[in-house]
Amino acid sequence: MAEKYRHLYVVIEHEDGEFLPVSLEMVGEARRLMDSFNTKYSSNEKVVAVILGHNVQDLSKQLIEYGADAVVYADNPELKDVRNTIYTKVIGQIVQDTKSLGEIEPEYASDIKRPRYMFFAADSIGRHLSSTTLVELESGLASDINKLVIEDIEMSHQQKTGGTKETYAKTLEMYRPDFSGFLWTTILCLDNRNPAFKRDYHPQSCSIIPGVFEPLKRDSLREGKIIEFTPTIDPQDLKVKVLGREIIKSEVDFETPRTIVSFGRGIKDDPEQNIKLIENLAKELNAEIGVTLPMSKKPYQISQALDSKYMIPARVIGTSGHKTSAMLYVAAGVSGAMQHVMGMKDSGFVVGINPDEDAPIKNECDVFIKGRMEDVIPLLIEEIKKQIQIVEVQ
C-alpha cells in the first residue's frame, strides 16, 4: 500500500553564499539515516534539502554534492533576509506542495501528501522557524536533539491508541539530554489512532544542535534533482522590512584559544574564591574559561562582576552551548554529564580535577586528579610558574 508520507526534508540556513555548518551536518545525518532506512525497509525514500533566499540556485548543486537526493529552492528578492512569518509560510507551502513532492518521486506522485520527517537547526533562527512552521503544519516538534534513531515501536496508550497495543512503524526516535545532561529523554511524534481522537502528526520534526553530527565529504560526482518552487508571498507580510543587518559575534571566543579551563558545581564550597582560582589558572595557561550548563543558571550567589562575566550561556560547553576541540581541556569540579561531555570530547588532552573518583568525567580524561579544586589548582599554578621560569632561562 502506498504511503502518504515519504522522505526527510532538511531546512538549510546560509549566510552570504556560505552554508552554516549545521546545515551540512543535518544533511549528513539525514543521508546516514535514510540510507539505513532504505536498506531496512527495502525502500527508496529521499533526503530533500529546502533552501530559501535570493540567488541560491548555485547553492542547490552543492547540497546534492553534500548528500541530498533532491533540493527544492525558492529564489525571490523578498527571501534574501530571513523574516520569520514569510519563511514559515513559504516552507509550509513547499512541504505541502504535491507537485514538487511528485517530481521527487514520480511513481508516488498521486499518493504522497507530506514529508515523513523534517529537520531544522537548533540555533536562534532555526528554533523560531521550526516552532512556527510546525504550528502552520499542525504537527509536533522536538527541540535541541542530538541523537536520532528510526525504529518500529510497539505501545499502548489511552490517548494515542485507545489502550490497545499498536505498532508504529518507521518512527523517528528523537533524543535529547535533560536533567543537566544526566538522563536521555526520548521524544516521539505519533499519530492518534484512537478513533475518538484520530489525527495524523506528520512530518515528525526536530531541531538539531549544531556541532553534534559530522557532515559528509563533498562529492562532486553525486547527482540529484533540483526543483524550483515559486512561492506565494502575502503583501501584508511585506510590511515587515529589514532595514539593516549586523552579525553579532559570540561574547566568548572558543575558536582561537588552544586551551580551555571549565568549571562546574565543584565550585560550590566557596564559589567566589574558586572562580578566582579558575581565573588565575586560566591566566597562567593563556586559556579561555568555559562553564557547564548548570552554571549558566546562576545557582550560587557571587559578586555581580563575576556573575555577569562567567555565569552566562555564552560560556557553556556542551550540547546546549559550544563544542570544542581544544588542544588542552581542564575540567575543574565538573562531574561529566553527557550534555557537557558531548561538547568537549574532541579535545586533544583532557585533565579532570574532582574529589569523586567515580565521577563520569574520569572516563573522558587523559589525566584525572582526585582532589578538591581548592587544594589542587594552587599547586598546579605554582608548578606552571616554575616551568615557565625554567623555559625562560633556557
Side-chain angles (χ1 to χ4, degrees):
M1 184 177 70
E3 296 178 276
K4 55 186 175 181
Y5 307 118
R6 295 178 66 83
H7 315 314
L8 193 166
Y9 276 39
V10 181
V11 176
I12 301 298
E13 292 186 27
H14 56 97
E15 183 71 40
D16 295 332
E18 300 288 336
F19 297 115
L20 269 61
V22 66
S23 292
L24 300 182
E25 293 162 11
M26 290 192 296
V27 172
E29 180 61 9
R31 177 77 277 146
R32 286 184 281 269
L33 276 173
M34 294 313 289
D35 284 347
S36 175
F37 176 102
N38 288 330
T39 299
K40 181 176 181 178
Y41 296 108
S42 301
S43 186
N44 190 29
E45 297 197 23
K46 311 297 185 185
V47 174
V48 182
V50 176
I51 183 168
L52 280 58
H54 187 41
N55 297 325
V56 294
Q57 187 171 8
D58 289 344
L59 290 176
S60 301
K61 176 67 170 62
Q62 293 183 43
L63 290 166
I64 299 291
E65 294 172 353
Y66 278 109
D69 295 301
V71 178
V72 181
Y73 74 94
D75 196 317
N76 187 303
E78 297 295 350
L79 298 175
K80 178 177 180 295
D81 298 310
V82 177
R83 282 176 283 184
N84 194 73
T85 300
I86 296 174
Y87 265 53
T88 295
K89 292 181 178 179
V90 173
I91 292 171
Q93 292 169 21
I94 290 173
V95 169
Q96 299 175 93
D97 178 48
T98 53
K99 179 174 178 294
S100 58
L101 283 163
E103 288 183 52
I104 293 167
E105 216 176 13
E107 59 268 43
Y108 295 102
S110 61
D111 302 302
I112 188 169
K113 302 301 180 187
R114 286 186 174 192
R116 185 186 299 280
Y117 314 118
M118 202 165 175
F119 291 172
F120 296 80
D123 56 17
S124 56
I125 289 175
R127 286 190 178 107
H128 190 188
L129 186 59
S130 59
S131 60
T132 52
T133 300
L134 269 297
V135 169
E136 181 89 0
L137 298 174
E138 297 185 329
S139 188
L141 173 75
S143 61
D144 293 0
I145 297 304
N146 65 0
K147 181 181 175 184
L148 294 156
V149 177
I150 296 173
E151 288 286 358
D152 299 340
I153 64 170
E154 283 191 344
M155 65 171 291
S156 63
H157 186 276
Q158 194 60 43
Q159 177 81 9
K160 290 289 181 185
T161 69
T164 61
K165 182 176 284 189
E166 295 267 356
T167 299
Y168 285 85
K170 306 170 183 174
T171 297
L172 184 63
E173 297 182 355
M174 300 170 278
Y175 293 81
R176 54 172 287 165
D178 278 314
F179 299 98
S180 298
F182 284 97
L183 288 176
W184 287 101
T185 298
T186 309
I187 302 172
L188 307 175
C189 183
L190 302 174
D191 297 339
N192 283 356
R193 296 180 180 174
N194 184 341
F197 310 103
K198 198 168 181 59
R199 179 179 169 185
D200 283 3
Y201 289 95
H202 278 80
Q204 301 172 42
S205 305
C206 64
S207 61
I208 293 177
I209 294 172
V212 172
F213 299 115
E214 293 290 331
L216 297 181
K217 188 176 179 181
R218 188 174 178 178
D219 180 359
S220 61
L221 299 180
R222 288 198 87 255
E223 295 182 349
K225 292 184 179 180
I226 297 177
I227 301 166
E228 182 175 11
F229 176 82
T230 303
T232 300
I233 298 177
D234 186 343
Q236 290 294 317
D237 295 333
L238 297 176
K239 291 180 178 178
V240 176
K241 298 184 183 301
V242 178
L243 302 179
R245 297 180 73 248
E246 180 182 356
I247 297 176
I248 300 173
K249 293 186 177 180
S250 173
E251 302 169 62
V252 185
D253 178 14
F254 283 121
E255 300 295 329
T256 304
R258 304 302 295 157
T259 303
I260 293 175
V261 179
S262 284
F263 66 86
R265 290 184 185 276
I267 65 168
K268 64 181 185 301
D269 289 344
D270 192 346
E272 185 89 12
Q273 291 305 312
N274 284 336
I275 292 175
K276 290 179 179 176
L277 270 180
I278 296 287
E279 278 186 320
N280 291 336
L281 178 60
K283 181 181 177 182
E284 295 300 327
L285 293 172
N286 192 26
E288 186 53 88
I289 294 177
V291 299
T292 60
L293 179 61
M295 294 299 97
S296 69
K297 312 294 184 186
K298 305 180 184 297
Y300 306 118
Q301 291 290 323
I302 57 175
S303 65
Q304 181 60 33
L306 292 181
D307 184 279
S308 60
K309 188 173 184 179
Y310 296 116
M311 309 301 233
I312 56 176
R315 290 193 183 273
V316 172
I317 302 289
T319 53
S320 298
H322 297 272
K323 185 177 181 182
T324 179
S325 53
M327 186 177 295
L328 172 62
Y329 190 86
V330 181
V334 173
S335 58
M338 65 182 89
Q339 188 282 139
H340 182 76
V341 169
M342 293 292 287
M344 48 67 70
K345 65 178 183 179
D346 291 336
S347 299
F349 194 87
V350 178
V351 178
I353 303 169
N354 199 304
D356 179 7
E357 63 180 322
D358 295 322
I361 192 67
K362 184 179 179 183
N363 297 327
E364 309 298 328
C365 292
D366 296 284
V367 172
F368 179 79
I369 304 174
K370 181 183 176 183
R372 298 167 68 242
M373 66 167 66
E374 296 90 331
D375 303 324
V376 174
I377 291 179
L379 297 176
L380 281 178
I381 292 173
E382 182 180 340
E383 188 60 31
I384 291 169
K385 287 181 176 177
K386 285 181 184 175
Q387 293 301 319
I388 290 174
Q389 288 177 347
I390 292 172
V391 171
E392 288 176 345
V393 169
Q394 292 176 339

